[in-house]
Amino acid sequence: MLGRLRDALRRFAEEVASSIAEKAAYKTITEEDLRPLLDDLVFRLVEADVGIDAAEAIAGMVSERLSGSKVPRGTDVRKHVEETLRSVILEVLSAARPTIDLLGEARRRCGTGSPLVVLFLGVNGVGKTTTIAKIAYMLKKAGATPVLAAADTFRAGAQEQLAYHASKIGVPIVKGSYGADPASIAFDAIRYASSRRLCAVLIDTAGRMHVDKNLVDELKKIARVSKPHYKILVVDSLTGNDAVEQALRFDEAVGVDAAVIAKIDADPKGGTVLSIAYALKRPILYLGTGQRYGDLKPFNPEEIVETILS
Ligand SMILES: Nc1nc2c(ncn2[C@@H]2O[C@H](COP(=O)(O)OP(=O)(O)OP(=O)(O)O)[C@@H](O)[C@H]2O)c(=O)[nH]1
Ligand SMILES: [Mg+2]
């Protein structure tokens, strides 16, 4: 997990340290020292799936903070560089600090007849349905029972897949017939939750490419009808740069309030999280860390920095 990203940052710190050590007379890290190493850093970050814009911005921030910095004799240069990297990465990730508390908001709405409505969207196969199941599991466990809205009437078996999760977790589901209007299913689910005073409605939608106009129009309609409090984009950590493209296009089309990055456990690179934080500048609420219901981790910038630079 995040391995390639970690290597990219460590290599940079080591290289700065050795290039400074070779010229023992230098007490200051100069821009000249850094320039070739920064190029390598950008290259390695991109190899670790960090988008080029984010990689260059990171290198720019590192350069600004390091060049001209005085390293007293006897100081561990590598540590000094790592501290700088730590502060830069934390700053980038902090743009995506999760400021939305789904559990808290759902809890407050229990029994009110006005449930929290959350719409999940994203391209095919990224992990939307699984993420909804995980969030439903979390809410149910905390006593904030949601209803699931099976508004993916497009893919054969999609409603059954969600129904399977609903029955395993023990939460209600509202379905429609195959090919039914997804917006009306979302609407029915909201009515269902309101009349039973449930806490939340989690709306599953069909995977769609951000470039498919008809399906994006359908998504707009679902959003118009269900008026979700939050539209949450799910992206797959393994898709790297494409995840950024998806995020920006969906944001343009329907507006994205927050993101979940799934399959981080299966991603040996790790750059997607940095790229999404940098490009989307919306909260990342959770990271999907596996296929079980409990495999959902709140996004924590400090923890990620620790993972890649401890
Ligand atoms: N390792 C891992 N696998 C995941 C994670 N989240 C989802 N998956 C797997 O990814 C595959 C696709 O997940 P779905 O939840 O069906 O994805 P979806 O976005 O709903 O797919 P469509 O409805 O077809 O667009 C499944 O095999 C999931 O088990 C995760 O965090 N880690
Ligand atoms: Mg699905």
Side-chain angles (χ1 to χ4, degrees):
M1 193 164 126
L2 307 172
R4 185 80 68 93
L5 185 57
R6 183 188 305 132
D7 294 344
L9 298 171
R10 283 189 183 159
R11 286 275 291 274
F12 177 74
E14 275 161 21
E15 285 174 2
V16 175
S18 61
S19 92
I20 299 300
E22 276 163 27
K23 307 170 205 160
Y26 283 29
K27 291 197 175 88
T28 314
I29 301 181
T30 69
E31 223 179 315
E32 269 168 14
D33 288 327
L34 286 176
R35 204 169 298 132
L37 305 181
L38 285 168
D39 289 343
D40 290 346
L41 175 65
V42 169
F43 179 72
R44 291 200 193 105
L45 287 174
V46 169
E47 274 191 331
D49 262 356
V50 178
I52 183 72
D53 292 348
E56 282 179 345
I58 288 167
M61 289 159 83
V62 169
S63 168
E64 208 168 279
R65 286 174 207 193
L66 273 187
S67 38
S69 70
K70 303 225 184 306
V71 184
R73 203 177 274 282
T75 304
D76 187 337
V77 179
R78 192 170 58 84
K79 281 236 170 70
H80 176 73
V81 176
E82 280 178 0
E83 274 318 306
T84 303
L85 289 171
R86 196 183 298 267
S87 75
V88 167
I89 300 297
L90 186 60
E91 188 174 324
V92 172
L93 291 176
S94 293
R97 207 174 272 288
T99 46
I100 298 169
D101 173 15
L102 290 184
L103 175 56
E105 294 197 31
R107 257 206 197 115
R108 274 195 294 283
R109 289 169 175 274
C110 299
T112 63
S114 164
L116 178 72
V117 178
V118 187
L119 177 66
F120 292 83
L121 51 121
V123 309
N124 310 71
V126 290
K128 294 176 295 298
T129 304
T130 307
T131 298
I132 289 171
K134 290 172 178 178
I135 292 176
Y137 174 77
M138 170 192 78
L139 294 177
K140 167 83 198 279
K141 230 173 41 174
T145 299
V147 61
L148 309 187
D152 178 357
T153 58
F154 188 73
R155 181 167 64 74
Q159 300 207 45
E160 290 73 12
Q161 182 193 2
L162 193 67
Y164 168 82
H165 290 307
S167 95
K168 285 276 265 194
I169 297 163
V171 296
I173 178 169
V174 171
K175 295 190 286 184
S177 52
Y178 175 67
D181 176 20
S184 73
I185 293 171
F187 189 75
D188 288 348
I190 295 169
R191 269 217 309 241
Y192 179 100
S194 304
S195 65
R196 286 165 183 76
R197 299 181 180 278
L198 295 178
C199 312
V201 182
L202 307 179
I203 306 170
D204 190 21
T205 62
R208 63 201 76 215
M209 293 305 292
H210 45 298
V211 290
D212 185 327
K213 184 170 183 313
N214 289 339
L215 283 175
V216 169
D217 282 346
E218 182 195 75
L219 190 61
K220 286 181 185 168
K221 183 180 170 196
I222 302 173
R224 214 163 47 235
V225 169
S226 63
K227 299 187 186 66
H229 297 100
Y230 299 115
K231 288 169 278 198
I232 297 185
L233 177 78
V234 181
V235 299
D236 176 340
S237 187
L238 294 157
T239 56
N241 225 358
D242 200 51
V244 171
E245 188 58 23
Q246 293 162 21
L248 298 178
R249 296 292 86 81
F250 274 114
D251 189 34
E252 245 170 45
V254 290
V256 167
D257 300 305
V260 170
I261 300 180
K263 309 188 198 179
I264 197 124
D265 57 298
D267 179 6
K269 294 184 170 182
T272 305
V273 61
L274 265 177
S275 310
I276 290 283
Y278 178 78
L280 188 62
K281 295 196 165 54
R282 296 291 146 69
I284 296 171
L285 302 188
Y286 296 102
L287 304 177
T289 58
Q291 309 206 38
R292 291 163 309 172
Y293 295 138
D295 292 335
L296 189 70
K297 249 173 119 59
F299 175 67
N300 179 335
E302 279 77 12
E303 207 175 296
I304 294 193
V305 170
E306 271 318 299
T307 308
I308 53 185
L309 278 163
S310 58

